Amino acid sequence: MERCDFLVIGGGIAGLSCAARLAAHGRVVVLEAESAPGYHASGRSVAVAHFGLGERLVRTLTALSLPALAEHGTRHPALHIASSAQLEALDALEDTHRQFGCDYARISGAEARALLPVLKSEACAAALVDHGALKLDTHAMLQAHMAALRAAGSTVVTGARVSAIAHDGASWRVEASGETYAAPLLINAAGAWADDIARLAGVSLIGIEPRRRTVISFAALPDEDVREWPFTKTVGEGFYLLPEGAGQLLASSMDQTPSQPCDAAPEELDIAIAADRVEQATTLPIRRIAHSWAGLRSFAPDELPVIGHAAGAPGFVWVAGQGGAGFQTAPALSRIAESAVLGLPFPADCAAADLAPEQFAPARLGA
Ligand SMILES: Cc1cc2nc3c(=O)[nH]c(=O)nc-3n(C[C@H](O)[C@H](O)[C@H](O)COP(=O)(O)OP(=O)(O)OC[C@H]3O[C@@H](n4cnc5c(N)ncnc54)[C@H](O)[C@@H]3O)c2cc1C
């Protein structure tokens, strides 16, 4: 049996960012079921940090994370477009950008078309351009956490699928692919499987809902270098579009279909809807989908992250429910997780931004 100070289940951005912090306080073992970290949601993100999604709490976490994200991100403008029916939503988003001190401008439809020349005029009456948005190198983020862990003498075990969890009165004992691990503190960062891990441990479930999102990739116009095109997103229902290299674009209809935890794959209908939304709003002809993928974004019932000790299960800590913002909030969330696991004071910058541990605690959801 391998003993350590902290066992982290899940080698995605949530588990690795938290584990890298805990490695400064003791030996961590991260157990990852797949043959490589980041195989599920964390390897399928479109890797943008912006203020166009989530509740105020998620945006606050994003603002607190931006300085650290800059290490693995490059500035890439986010263009939030609104049709004439979506102007109220654009006003609300402008308020958000103002409150968070973003480097943004409100622009006309014509100015938006200067940034994204393929945009049809009826698709954009007005827009916001956020010059502070970041394109993230998510692979580099995961690798940096792995390197920090290893440098501190901690380990990531891949191919370690947790199948049994029991508490022996002092430690959590975890069975994973024929090995047994034990630690007094067990961190549940299993993404879409977070409730399954709680069930194995006999801990009350949160009601984490995985939701499938589909991304398509297709060729841009011939001879057009699209690298400078902004990340473009409708303020309400619609689509997003972003460059993937010089001649390729990615798009999503921002689908969020409830799913069982699984190795998510794109469905034909979702691919077709994404392509149709792009063709409706732009002059881009999508002749062939070069490739597509889907991933699961996992949400608690109130769509906010869950960080904290489970009631009645000493040492079982939730780090789950990052939804569609797991990368852009990871620097702040991992510090909140570190303080929750160790019982340290809540991070001062988070408290100063009017966040409190109770907003993250599973107790708010009765768990
Ligand atoms: C299409 C798409 C686009 C996105 N775009 C963005 C974006 O632009 N910006 C952003 O910030 N976020 C984005 N996200 C969200 C982001 O990817 C997630 O919030 C984040 O990856 C969640 O990380 P995680 O570590 O919780 O989950 P995961 O990466 O899924 O990690 C959980 C891990 O737990 C492991 N596991 C599960 N069960 C077990 C078990 N029994 N034993 C051992 N290991 C187990 C899994 O194998 C998995 O590797 C996007 C997501 C998708 C799907």
Side-chain angles (χ1 to χ4, degrees), residues 221-247:
L221 303 169
D223 303 326
E224 181 110 36
D225 185 340
V226 297
R227 275 175 295 193
E228 299 300 315
W229 285 10
F231 166 73
T232 301
K233 179 178 183 294
T234 52
V235 290
E237 187 165 298
F239 70 99
Y240 63 62
L241 178 74
L242 67 157
E244 186 195 33

Side-chain angles (χ1 to χ4, degrees), residues 4-49:
C4 58
D5 299 301
F6 311 97
L7 271 174
V8 175
I9 303 179
I13 185 62
L16 292 177
S17 58
C18 177
R21 296 208 153 266
L22 294 175
H25 305 277
R27 207 172 92 75
V28 188
V29 173
V30 178
L31 299 174
E32 168 51 49
E34 304 293 348
S35 58
Y39 177 84
H40 287 288
S42 299
R44 306 179 192 201
S45 148
V46 299
V48 182

